[in-house]
Amino acid sequence: MSRAPEQPKDPIRWCAALALAFLLGCLPFLTVVTHPYFDEVHYLPAAREFLTLGTFINREHPLVGKELIALGIALFGDNPWGWRLLPTLFGTLALFAAMRALWFGTQSRFATLSYGVLVATGFHLFIHARIAMLDIFYLTFLCVAAWQFAGAIRQPEQGRWRLALTGIALGLAMGAKWNAITVAMLPGLVFFFARAAAGRRRLFLSRRGAPVPGTTLVEAALWLGVVPLAVYAASFLPAFFFRENPITEGLIFHHQFMLMQQENVLKPHPYQSTWEQWVLNARAIWYLYEPVDGVQRGIMLIGNPLTMILGLPALAWCAWHGVVRRYWAALGAVVVYTVSLAFWIFANKPVQFYYHYSLPSMALLAALALACDALWRNGWRKSALAPVIGSVLMFAWFYPIISAAPLAGPDSFKVWTWLASWR
């Protein structure tokens, strides 16, 4: 009598443990900088205005991120805890959601947990989970959307509510930052092309076929098209009720204004960079480098020097196996990386910064996790673990300069600025 194949055990508890460890790692020195730094100087004043519906400022950006910063201030006070604790909690959710997405996409414990370690120690998520900027919010909502969409595909009996949550998360991601727009279109496109490839006679009304059996294409268009746009539009509702400078011309006119503001030629900035420099991890941004209460501290945004480079051949491996071997999780990592990076290659925005690489970097690390998983499954376990352990060691070495820990003195940055372009 044959036995049923053994089902892989869901590592959800390990995912939760990794997320908790990340949260605890974010807390030291979180509030040591008692004044706004870097782009907090723009978003904190805008968030405060939401609490009183006073003056609508920082009108060039969508509202969700600033609304959430305002929520943090309302919950925890107008102080460094109120500014930064909610971003830290969202960063923790982003890590957990990213691991859950990869689990549903691969059913591989090693890929899932190694991805969690790589993202937690990849610098981007850690740094943005500790500052009141918009980036952590759109990243988190995209991770939640990926989690729910992959879950709907893996567990189609839960497809309806998971697709609904996907749509809500996509709308909130776009409402946090426009960086999410191109990636937010992917679930709907994936659903359409997968269903079309299934060859069903009633393309729009059939409930059979990939990617989520039991859900028609019409219903998927509701959850993945109409709902995100509705949630995105609803996020602007408070802007109609500001006492000064509210939206009075309607959302279409306001978006024309936002687009014009985004495309305005800005003065050259000492930290601006290009997408080629992002890919090669060749240009850093100093979010902070100054004495704080008499102690030198710094926060340098750069990607993990080991995994940002190792991820590039892993991305090529995923492209090959995704296209030739139809390894859909690998192909998904490549598509998300390509689409999210292409947004900035073709965007009509003359001054760009390395923090725009945060989303592509998460897809890059997914590719690295999948390549390491292939090594693990083929018996090359030391080779599979080497990038993961190396990432942790590199993170530990750079921790002082990415966390605002006390430094020895004004020249301490030289210890970590291995390239002249990082200075």
Side-chain angles (χ1 to χ4, degrees), residues 19 62 78 82 90 106 321-322 325 398:
D78 194 353
F90 266 75
T106 64
H321 284 265
R325 303 289 181 85
F398 275 82

Side-chain angles (χ1 to χ4, degrees), residues 274-281 308-309 312 337 341 357:
T274 63
W275 68 269
E276 300 97 329
Q277 292 174 309
W278 307 346
V279 171
L280 296 175
N281 206 30
M308 289 297 101
I309 300 304
L312 297 176
Y337 180 86
L341 183 60
Y357 195 63

